[in-house]
């Protein structure tokens, strides 16, 4: 009596799984997790993309239809952008360290990324939000606080994720082969950086500066 | 061990590659600032932003892992 491959696999699954259902391997779960996270990132693109479009639609001179912007401190924008890009570099180094099993650089990278994220939040909330534009400044206020506010919420949630991952790393939860938590946090953090890569020129550089008040 | 290290390098885990991308991002960011002062073209500035985003998505977010079925 011959046994087919499918029957052998079914028998193997029933032997190794308490409910008779196939347990996906770590590699399979990793692929599913990646796909799920990238679909989430894709959905976020619409949110940030919509805000970016609203900036170019609403910040226009009604008389000439020129693209305009409020007169913001461009050097402050450059500084906050540099901080966020540096945080992406430290996050990438941390993820690379996780792949190599270099726990010292992993922990240092995660800590530095979290600190740079907090510094970025401090610049946005403490300096940029206290600048020339206020929430009551019509389209300027609505778009500026909408874009920077939504982005800041994402940075804040990223910092919380980083601290959770750092805590887990300090407890030795990640190995060279298994560190999906680090990879997922890195993808999320870099996405927040990508969003700012477009927000920075849109808010600070593009268009004719208009003095408010 | 050597094989594992080579796999990590292929996965984009190389420190040197990260530093090269960081330098490129820094150059593009400074260029973006000065381009805005000299030639405030929305299209040109958005193109620079697009290049920066592509570098981050490819080398930091490792988007290629989605279809190469690689491990970490």
């Amino acid at each position: 009596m011959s046994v087919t491959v499918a029957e052998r696999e079914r028998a193997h699954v029933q032997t190794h799984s308490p409910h008779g259902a196939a347990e996906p391997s770590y590699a399979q779960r990793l692929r599913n997790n990646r796909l799920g996270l990238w679909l989430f990132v894709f959905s976020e693109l619409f949110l940030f993309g919509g805000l970016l479009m609203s900036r170019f639609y609403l910040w226009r001179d009604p008389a000439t239809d020129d693209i305009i912007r409020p007169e913001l401190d461009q050097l402050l924008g450059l500084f906050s952008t540099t901080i966020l890009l540096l945080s992406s570099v430290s996050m990438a180094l941390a993820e690379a360290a996780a792949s190599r099993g270099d726990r010292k650089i992993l922990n240092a990278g995660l800590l530095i990324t979290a600190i740079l994220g907090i510094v970025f939040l401090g610049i946005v909330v403490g300096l940029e939000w206290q600048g020339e534009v206020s929430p009551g400044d019509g389209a300027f206020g609505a778009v500026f606080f909408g874009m920077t506010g939504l982005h800041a919420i994402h940075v804040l949630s990223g910092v919380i994720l980083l601290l959770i991952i750092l805590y887990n790393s300090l407890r030795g939860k990640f190995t060279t082969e298994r560190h999906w938590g680090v990879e997922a946090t890195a993808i999320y953090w870099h996405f927040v950086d990508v969003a700012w890569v477009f927000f920075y020129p849109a808010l600070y550089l593009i268009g004719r500066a208009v003095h408010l008040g | 061990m050597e094989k594992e290290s080579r796999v990590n390098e292929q996965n984009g885990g190389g420190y040197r590659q990260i530093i090269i991308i960081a330098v490129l991002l820094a150059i593009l960011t400074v260029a973006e600032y000065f381009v805005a002062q000299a030639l405030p073209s929305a299209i040109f500035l958005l193109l620079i932003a697009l290049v920066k985003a592509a570098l981050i998505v490819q080398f930091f977010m490792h988007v290629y892992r989605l279809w190469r079925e690689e491990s970490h």
Side-chain angles (χ1 to χ4, degrees):
Chain A
M1 192 170 75
S2 67
V3 180
T4 64
V5 174
E7 282 170 338
R8 268 207 307 272
E9 280 181 356
R10 209 176 300 125
H12 174 82
V13 164
Q14 282 167 354
T15 313
H16 291 82
S17 170
H19 307 294
E23 293 279 339
S25 65
Y26 180 75
Q28 182 62 48
R29 276 187 288 142
L30 188 62
R31 279 197 294 276
N32 294 345
N33 288 346
R34 271 187 190 140
L35 184 62
L37 186 60
W38 275 97
L39 284 173
F40 166 73
V41 166
F42 189 66
S43 72
E44 289 268 274
L45 275 182
F46 291 94
L47 185 67
F48 285 102
L51 278 169
L52 199 65
M53 290 302 110
S54 70
R55 177 261 180 262
F56 286 103
Y57 183 74
L58 292 172
W59 287 8
R60 280 183 182 274
D61 187 335
T64 61
D65 206 32
D66 286 345
I67 297 173
I68 53 174
R69 61 177 165 82
E71 203 170 22
L72 299 166
D73 188 343
Q74 289 189 319
L75 280 176
L76 192 61
L78 179 65
F79 182 60
S80 57
T81 303
T82 307
I83 294 289
L84 209 56
L85 285 174
L86 280 175
S87 77
S88 251
V89 173
S90 58
M91 186 72 239
L93 288 171
E95 195 198 348
S99 295
R100 290 159 178 247
D102 193 342
R103 198 167 290 173
K104 206 181 266 183
I105 293 184
L106 168 63
N107 293 338
L110 291 173
L111 183 65
I112 290 168
T113 308
I115 289 170
L116 289 171
I118 292 166
V119 170
F120 178 84
L121 282 175
I123 293 169
V124 170
V125 177
L127 297 173
E128 287 174 348
W129 285 6
Q130 314 303 323
E132 191 170 340
V133 185
S134 68
D137 283 332
F140 279 137
V143 171
F144 180 75
F145 281 88
M147 287 172 78
T148 55
L150 195 84
H151 184 264
I153 287 173
H154 281 76
V155 174
L156 180 64
S157 53
V159 168
I160 293 168
L161 285 174
L162 281 164
L163 294 177
I164 293 170
I165 292 299
L166 177 61
Y167 174 72
N168 284 336
S169 176
L170 288 170
R171 292 175 68 201
K173 294 248 177 173
F174 302 119
T175 63
T176 314
E177 295 81 21
R178 295 186 179 214
H179 53 268
W180 164 244
V182 179
E183 186 185 330
T185 306
I187 291 172
Y188 181 78
W189 190 260
H190 295 311
F191 170 71
V192 172
D193 191 18
V194 166
W196 189 256
V197 159
F198 289 99
F199 277 17
Y200 164 59
L203 291 171
Y204 289 89
L205 302 179
I206 293 173
R208 178 165 47 84
V210 174
H211 185 72
L212 298 176
Chain B
M1 194 67 187
E2 192 186 327
K3 188 184 171 191
E4 186 182 298
S5 174
R6 201 167 53 243
V7 168
N8 288 335
E9 287 287 335
Q10 285 167 353
N11 285 353
Y15 295 143
R16 201 175 61 175
Q17 186 187 62
I18 292 167
I19 300 302
I20 290 169
I21 300 302
V23 171
L24 281 175
L25 288 172
I27 291 168
L28 285 169
T29 304
V30 173
E32 195 175 34
Y33 177 80
F34 286 107
V35 163
Q37 314 302 319
L39 178 79
S41 152
I43 299 293
F44 201 53
L45 288 169
L46 286 175
L47 268 177
I48 295 176
L50 206 62
V51 173
K52 284 166 69 179
L55 286 173
I56 295 170
V57 169
Q58 177 68 16
F59 296 103
F60 287 176
M61 295 172 83
H62 311 296
V63 67
Y64 51 85
R65 284 179 182 164
L66 268 177
W67 46 85
R68 279 196 199 162
E69 298 198 357
E70 284 179 2
S71 63
H72 293 290

